[in-house]
Amino acid sequence: MSSDSKLFVVSAPSGTGKSSLIKDVITRSKAADIPCEFSVSHTTRTPREGDQEGKDYFFVAESEFEELIGNNTFIEYAKVHDNYYGTAEDFVTSKLQEGINVFLEIDVQGFTQIQRTSIPNSSIFVLPPSMLELRNRITRRGLDSNLIIERRMKNALFELSYADQYDFLIVNESFDAAIEELLEIIKDTQRIDSHREEKINLLKELLS
Ligand code: 5GP
């Protein structure tokens, strides 16, 4: 493994804006000559409008996913909202060996599995500014039915209950400020999470 490259594990409740944050931070890092790649996961979920095969996910049938599990393809996998999601080990290890930083956008179950591997990583949890804002964002996306929105809100609380185990917490209130904070972390993963206590207090409020 190259000593320069690092694995970044990013989690957040859905609707927090983590996909946009990760895409933007990868583009900006590349522009600053920091090599970064997004790890495209496999999933059994149905593609949504705009989803691109091989770019957003590799969409596979459940039987195929189970076969991939049997072949030890995944460094981690989990069932989220009734669908399987997994990260291919080969992709992650080969990129890291090439000196390229790898971003995983995975749920908290995947995070727990990555912590059990020997791969050095920095973990980042993106917090919504409030539960009301999270609900508004999920509703505004217009992608989900009411039933699914309620399921996502319930799952958000489950995800948030793991947030204090992550190295860094980022509040996505202002997109630009969140990006700046992410860039600082990528440039210096040894730094101490800034204003951690305030963020933990927000986390307690979100969970109350
Ligand atoms: P969505 O279906 O909205 O794209 O993603 C749903 C959830 O699955 C998100 O919390 C996302 O982070 C998580 N997820 C996406 N890919 C993976 C993966 O490879 N492994 C795990 N454990 N979770 C993933």
Side-chain angles (χ1 to χ4, degrees), residues 64-97:
E64 197 182 332
F65 197 98
E66 279 162 359
E67 207 173 298
L68 292 168
I69 296 174
N71 295 337
N72 290 323
T73 304
F74 300 121
I75 194 169
E76 65 74 34
Y77 71 90
K79 231 176 190 180
V80 188
H81 311 136
D82 290 338
N83 290 303
Y84 276 125
Y85 294 84
T87 303
E89 180 161 16
D90 269 4
F91 178 86
V92 172
T93 51
S94 63
K95 291 294 170 193
L96 291 173
Q97 267 157 10

CSV table of all heavy atoms in Angstrom, one decimal, residues 64-97:
chain,number,residue,atom,x,y,z
A,64,GLU,N,-26.9,-12.3,-8.4
A,64,GLU,CA,-25.6,-12.0,-8.8
A,64,GLU,C,-24.8,-11.5,-7.6
A,64,GLU,O,-23.6,-11.8,-7.4
A,64,GLU,CB,-25.6,-11.0,-10.0
A,64,GLU,CG,-24.3,-10.9,-10.7
A,64,GLU,CD,-24.3,-9.8,-11.8
A,64,GLU,OE1,-25.4,-9.5,-12.3
A,64,GLU,OE2,-23.2,-9.2,-12.1
A,65,PHE,N,-25.5,-10.6,-6.8
A,65,PHE,CA,-24.8,-10.0,-5.7
A,65,PHE,C,-24.4,-11.2,-4.7
A,65,PHE,O,-23.3,-11.2,-4.2
A,65,PHE,CB,-25.8,-9.0,-5.0
A,65,PHE,CG,-25.1,-8.1,-4.0
A,65,PHE,CD1,-24.7,-6.8,-4.4
A,65,PHE,CD2,-24.7,-8.5,-2.7
A,65,PHE,CE1,-24.0,-6.0,-3.5
A,65,PHE,CE2,-24.1,-7.7,-1.8
A,65,PHE,CZ,-23.7,-6.4,-2.2
A,66,GLU,N,-25.3,-12.1,-4.5
A,66,GLU,CA,-25.0,-13.2,-3.6
A,66,GLU,C,-23.9,-14.1,-4.1
A,66,GLU,O,-23.0,-14.5,-3.3
A,66,GLU,CB,-26.3,-14.1,-3.4
A,66,GLU,CG,-27.2,-13.4,-2.3
A,66,GLU,CD,-28.6,-13.8,-2.3
A,66,GLU,OE1,-29.0,-14.7,-3.1
A,66,GLU,OE2,-29.3,-13.3,-1.4
A,67,GLU,N,-23.8,-14.2,-5.4
A,67,GLU,CA,-22.6,-14.9,-6.0
A,67,GLU,C,-21.3,-14.1,-5.7
A,67,GLU,O,-20.3,-14.7,-5.3
A,67,GLU,CB,-22.8,-15.0,-7.5
A,67,GLU,CG,-22.2,-16.2,-8.1
A,67,GLU,CD,-22.6,-16.3,-9.6
A,67,GLU,OE1,-23.8,-16.5,-9.9
A,67,GLU,OE2,-21.7,-16.2,-10.4
A,68,LEU,N,-21.4,-12.8,-5.8
A,68,LEU,CA,-20.2,-12.0,-5.6
A,68,LEU,C,-19.8,-12.1,-4.1
A,68,LEU,O,-18.6,-12.1,-3.8
A,68,LEU,CB,-20.5,-10.5,-5.9
A,68,LEU,CG,-20.7,-10.2,-7.4
A,68,LEU,CD1,-21.2,-8.8,-7.7
A,68,LEU,CD2,-19.4,-10.4,-8.2
A,69,ILE,N,-20.8,-12.2,-3.2
A,69,ILE,CA,-20.5,-12.4,-1.8
A,69,ILE,C,-19.7,-13.7,-1.6
A,69,ILE,O,-18.7,-13.7,-1.0
A,69,ILE,CB,-21.8,-12.4,-0.9
A,69,ILE,CG1,-22.5,-11.1,-0.9
A,69,ILE,CG2,-21.4,-12.8,0.5
A,69,ILE,CD1,-23.9,-11.1,-0.2
A,70,GLY,N,-20.3,-14.7,-2.3
A,70,GLY,CA,-19.6,-16.0,-2.2
A,70,GLY,C,-18.2,-16.1,-2.7
A,70,GLY,O,-17.4,-16.8,-2.2
A,71,ASN,N,-17.9,-15.2,-3.7
A,71,ASN,CA,-16.6,-15.2,-4.3
A,71,ASN,C,-15.7,-14.2,-3.5
A,71,ASN,O,-14.6,-13.9,-4.0
A,71,ASN,CB,-16.6,-14.7,-5.8
A,71,ASN,CG,-17.4,-15.7,-6.6
A,71,ASN,OD1,-17.5,-16.8,-6.3
A,71,ASN,ND2,-17.9,-15.2,-7.7
A,72,ASN,N,-16.1,-13.7,-2.4
A,72,ASN,CA,-15.3,-12.8,-1.5
A,72,ASN,C,-14.9,-11.5,-2.3
A,72,ASN,O,-13.8,-11.0,-2.1
A,72,ASN,CB,-14.1,-13.5,-1.0
A,72,ASN,CG,-14.4,-14.5,0.0
A,72,ASN,OD1,-15.3,-14.3,0.8
A,72,ASN,ND2,-13.7,-15.6,0.0
A,73,THR,N,-15.8,-11.1,-3.1
A,73,THR,CA,-15.5,-9.9,-3.9
A,73,THR,C,-15.5,-8.6,-3.0
A,73,THR,O,-14.7,-7.7,-3.3
A,73,THR,CB,-16.6,-9.7,-5.0
A,73,THR,OG1,-16.7,-10.9,-5.8
A,73,THR,CG2,-16.4,-8.5,-5.9
A,74,PHE,N,-16.3,-8.6,-2.0
A,74,PHE,CA,-16.5,-7.4,-1.2
A,74,PHE,C,-15.6,-7.2,0.0
A,74,PHE,O,-15.4,-8.2,0.8
A,74,PHE,CB,-17.9,-7.2,-0.8
A,74,PHE,CG,-18.9,-7.2,-2.0
A,74,PHE,CD1,-19.9,-8.2,-2.1
A,74,PHE,CD2,-18.8,-6.3,-3.0
A,74,PHE,CE1,-20.8,-8.2,-3.2
A,74,PHE,CE2,-19.6,-6.2,-4.1
A,74,PHE,CZ,-20.6,-7.2,-4.2
A,75,ILE,N,-15.1,-6.0,0.2
A,75,ILE,CA,-14.3,-5.7,1.4
A,75,ILE,C,-15.3,-5.4,2.5
A,75,ILE,O,-15.1,-5.6,3.7
A,75,ILE,CB,-13.4,-4.5,1.1
A,75,ILE,CG1,-12.4,-4.3,2.2
A,75,ILE,CG2,-14.2,-3.2,0.9
A,75,ILE,CD1,-11.3,-3.3,1.9
A,76,GLU,N,-16.5,-5.0,2.1
A,76,GLU,CA,-17.6,-4.8,3.0
A,76,GLU,C,-18.9,-4.8,2.2
A,76,GLU,O,-18.9,-4.4,1.0
A,76,GLU,CB,-17.5,-3.5,3.8
A,76,GLU,CG,-17.6,-2.2,3.0
A,76,GLU,CD,-19.0,-1.8,2.5
A,76,GLU,OE1,-20.0,-2.1,3.2
A,76,GLU,OE2,-19.2,-1.3,1.4
A,77,TYR,N,-20.0,-5.3,2.8
A,77,TYR,CA,-21.3,-5.1,2.2
A,77,TYR,C,-22.4,-5.1,3.3
A,77,TYR,O,-22.1,-5.6,4.4
A,77,TYR,CB,-21.6,-6.3,1.2
A,77,TYR,CG,-21.8,-7.6,1.8
A,77,TYR,CD1,-23.1,-8.1,2.1
A,77,TYR,CD2,-20.7,-8.5,2.1
A,77,TYR,CE1,-23.3,-9.3,2.7
A,77,TYR,CE2,-20.9,-9.7,2.7
A,77,TYR,CZ,-22.2,-10.1,3.0
A,77,TYR,OH,-22.4,-11.3,3.6
A,78,ALA,N,-23.5,-4.6,2.9
A,78,ALA,CA,-24.6,-4.5,3.9
A,78,ALA,C,-25.9,-4.4,3.2
A,78,ALA,O,-26.0,-4.1,2.0
A,78,ALA,CB,-24.4,-3.3,4.8
A,79,LYS,N,-27.0,-4.7,4.0
A,79,LYS,CA,-28.3,-4.5,3.4
A,79,LYS,C,-28.8,-3.1,4.0
A,79,LYS,O,-28.8,-2.9,5.2
A,79,LYS,CB,-29.3,-5.6,3.9
A,79,LYS,CG,-30.0,-6.1,2.7
A,79,LYS,CD,-30.9,-7.3,3.1
A,79,LYS,CE,-31.4,-7.9,1.7
A,79,LYS,NZ,-32.2,-9.0,1.9
A,80,VAL,N,-29.1,-2.2,3.1
A,80,VAL,CA,-29.6,-0.9,3.5
A,80,VAL,C,-30.9,-0.6,2.8
A,80,VAL,O,-31.0,-0.8,1.6
A,80,VAL,CB,-28.6,0.3,3.0
A,80,VAL,CG1,-29.0,1.6,3.6
A,80,VAL,CG2,-27.2,-0.1,3.4
A,81,HIS,N,-32.0,-0.2,3.6
A,81,HIS,CA,-33.3,0.0,3.0
A,81,HIS,C,-33.7,-1.2,2.1
A,81,HIS,O,-34.2,-1.1,1.0
A,81,HIS,CB,-33.4,1.2,2.1
A,81,HIS,CG,-32.8,2.5,2.7
A,81,HIS,ND1,-32.1,3.4,2.0
A,81,HIS,CD2,-32.9,3.0,3.9
A,81,HIS,CE1,-31.7,4.4,2.7
A,81,HIS,NE2,-32.2,4.2,3.9
A,82,ASP,N,-33.5,-2.4,2.6
A,82,ASP,CA,-33.9,-3.7,1.9
A,82,ASP,C,-33.1,-4.0,0.7
A,82,ASP,O,-33.5,-4.9,-0.1
A,82,ASP,CB,-35.4,-3.6,1.6
A,82,ASP,CG,-36.3,-3.7,2.8
A,82,ASP,OD1,-35.8,-4.2,3.8
A,82,ASP,OD2,-37.4,-3.3,2.7
A,83,ASN,N,-32.1,-3.3,0.3
A,83,ASN,CA,-31.3,-3.6,-0.8
A,83,ASN,C,-29.8,-3.9,-0.4
A,83,ASN,O,-29.4,-3.3,0.6
A,83,ASN,CB,-31.3,-2.5,-1.8
A,83,ASN,CG,-32.6,-2.4,-2.5
A,83,ASN,OD1,-33.1,-3.3,-3.1
A,83,ASN,ND2,-33.2,-1.2,-2.4
A,84,TYR,N,-29.1,-4.7,-1.2
A,84,TYR,CA,-27.7,-5.0,-0.9
A,84,TYR,C,-26.9,-3.9,-1.5
A,84,TYR,O,-27.2,-3.4,-2.6
A,84,TYR,CB,-27.3,-6.3,-1.5
A,84,TYR,CG,-27.5,-7.5,-0.8
A,84,TYR,CD1,-28.3,-8.6,-1.4
A,84,TYR,CD2,-27.0,-7.7,0.5
A,84,TYR,CE1,-28.5,-9.8,-0.7
A,84,TYR,CE2,-27.2,-8.9,1.2
A,84,TYR,CZ,-28.0,-9.9,0.6
A,84,TYR,OH,-28.2,-11.1,1.2
A,85,TYR,N,-25.8,-3.5,-0.8
A,85,TYR,CA,-24.8,-2.6,-1.3
A,85,TYR,C,-23.4,-3.1,-0.9
A,85,TYR,O,-23.3,-3.6,0.2
A,85,TYR,CB,-24.9,-1.2,-0.7
A,85,TYR,CG,-26.2,-0.4,-1.0
A,85,TYR,CD1,-27.4,-0.7,-0.3
A,85,TYR,CD2,-26.2,0.5,-2.0
A,85,TYR,CE1,-28.5,0.0,-0.6
A,85,TYR,CE2,-27.3,1.2,-2.3
A,85,TYR,CZ,-28.5,1.0,-1.6
A,85,TYR,OH,-29.6,1.7,-1.9
A,86,GLY,N,-22.4,-3.1,-1.8
A,86,GLY,CA,-21.1,-3.6,-1.4
A,86,GLY,C,-20.0,-2.9,-2.2
A,86,GLY,O,-20.2,-2.4,-3.3
A,87,THR,N,-18.8,-2.9,-1.6
A,87,THR,CA,-17.6,-2.3,-2.1
A,87,THR,C,-16.6,-3.4,-2.6
A,87,THR,O,-16.3,-4.3,-1.8
A,87,THR,CB,-16.9,-1.5,-1.0
A,87,THR,OG1,-17.8,-0.5,-0.5
A,87,THR,CG2,-15.7,-0.8,-1.6
A,88,ALA,N,-16.2,-3.3,-3.8
A,88,ALA,CA,-15.3,-4.3,-4.4
A,88,ALA,C,-13.9,-4.1,-3.8
A,88,ALA,O,-13.3,-3.0,-3.9
A,88,ALA,CB,-15.2,-4.3,-5.9
A,89,GLU,N,-13.3,-5.2,-3.2
A,89,GLU,CA,-12.0,-5.1,-2.5
A,89,GLU,C,-10.9,-4.8,-3.5
A,89,GLU,O,-10.0,-3.9,-3.3
A,89,GLU,CB,-11.7,-6.4,-1.8
A,89,GLU,CG,-10.4,-6.4,-1.1
A,89,GLU,CD,-10.2,-7.4,0.0
A,89,GLU,OE1,-11.0,-8.3,0.0
A,89,GLU,OE2,-9.3,-7.3,0.8
A,90,ASP,N,-10.9,-5.4,-4.7
A,90,ASP,CA,-9.9,-5.3,-5.7
A,90,ASP,C,-9.7,-3.8,-6.1
A,90,ASP,O,-8.5,-3.3,-6.2
A,90,ASP,CB,-10.2,-6.0,-7.0
A,90,ASP,CG,-9.7,-7.4,-7.0
A,90,ASP,OD1,-9.1,-7.8,-5.9
A,90,ASP,OD2,-9.9,-8.2,-8.0
A,91,PHE,N,-10.8,-3.1,-6.3
A,91,PHE,CA,-10.7,-1.7,-6.8
A,91,PHE,C,-10.0,-0.9,-5.7
A,91,PHE,O,-9.0,-0.2,-6.0
A,91,PHE,CB,-12.1,-1.2,-7.0
A,91,PHE,CG,-12.1,0.3,-7.4
A,91,PHE,CD1,-12.0,0.6,-8.8
A,91,PHE,CD2,-12.2,1.3,-6.5
A,91,PHE,CE1,-11.9,2.0,-9.1
A,91,PHE,CE2,-12.2,2.6,-6.8
A,91,PHE,CZ,-12.1,3.0,-8.2
A,92,VAL,N,-10.4,-1.1,-4.5
A,92,VAL,CA,-9.9,-0.3,-3.4
A,92,VAL,C,-8.4,-0.5,-3.2
A,92,VAL,O,-7.6,0.4,-3.2
A,92,VAL,CB,-10.7,-0.6,-2.0
A,92,VAL,CG1,-10.0,0.1,-0.9
A,92,VAL,CG2,-12.1,-0.1,-2.2
A,93,THR,N,-8.0,-1.8,-3.1
A,93,THR,CA,-6.6,-2.1,-2.8
A,93,THR,C,-5.7,-1.7,-4.0
A,93,THR,O,-4.6,-1.1,-3.8
A,93,THR,CB,-6.4,-3.5,-2.4
A,93,THR,OG1,-7.0,-4.4,-3.4
A,93,THR,CG2,-7.0,-3.8,-1.1
A,94,SER,N,-6.2,-1.9,-5.2
A,94,SER,CA,-5.3,-1.5,-6.4
A,94,SER,C,-5.1,0.0,-6.5
A,94,SER,O,-4.0,0.4,-6.7
A,94,SER,CB,-5.8,-2.2,-7.7
A,94,SER,OG,-7.0,-1.6,-8.0
A,95,LYS,N,-6.2,0.7,-6.3
A,95,LYS,CA,-6.0,2.2,-6.3
A,95,LYS,C,-5.1,2.7,-5.2
A,95,LYS,O,-4.2,3.5,-5.4
A,95,LYS,CB,-7.4,2.9,-6.2
A,95,LYS,CG,-8.3,2.7,-7.4
A,95,LYS,CD,-7.7,3.4,-8.6
A,95,LYS,CE,-8.5,2.9,-9.8
A,95,LYS,NZ,-7.9,3.3,-11.1
A,96,LEU,N,-5.3,2.2,-4.0
A,96,LEU,CA,-4.4,2.6,-2.9
A,96,LEU,C,-2.9,2.3,-3.2
A,96,LEU,O,-2.0,3.1,-2.9
A,96,LEU,CB,-4.8,2.0,-1.6
A,96,LEU,CG,-6.2,2.4,-1.0
A,96,LEU,CD1,-6.6,1.6,0.2
A,96,LEU,CD2,-6.2,3.9,-0.7
A,97,GLN,N,-2.7,1.1,-3.8
A,97,GLN,CA,-1.4,0.7,-4.2
A,97,GLN,C,-0.8,1.7,-5.2
A,97,GLN,O,0.4,1.9,-5.2
A,97,GLN,CB,-1.3,-0.7,-4.7
A,97,GLN,CG,-1.0,-1.7,-3.5
A,97,GLN,CD,-1.4,-3.1,-3.8
A,97,GLN,OE1,-1.8,-3.4,-4.9
A,97,GLN,NE2,-1.4,-3.9,-2.7
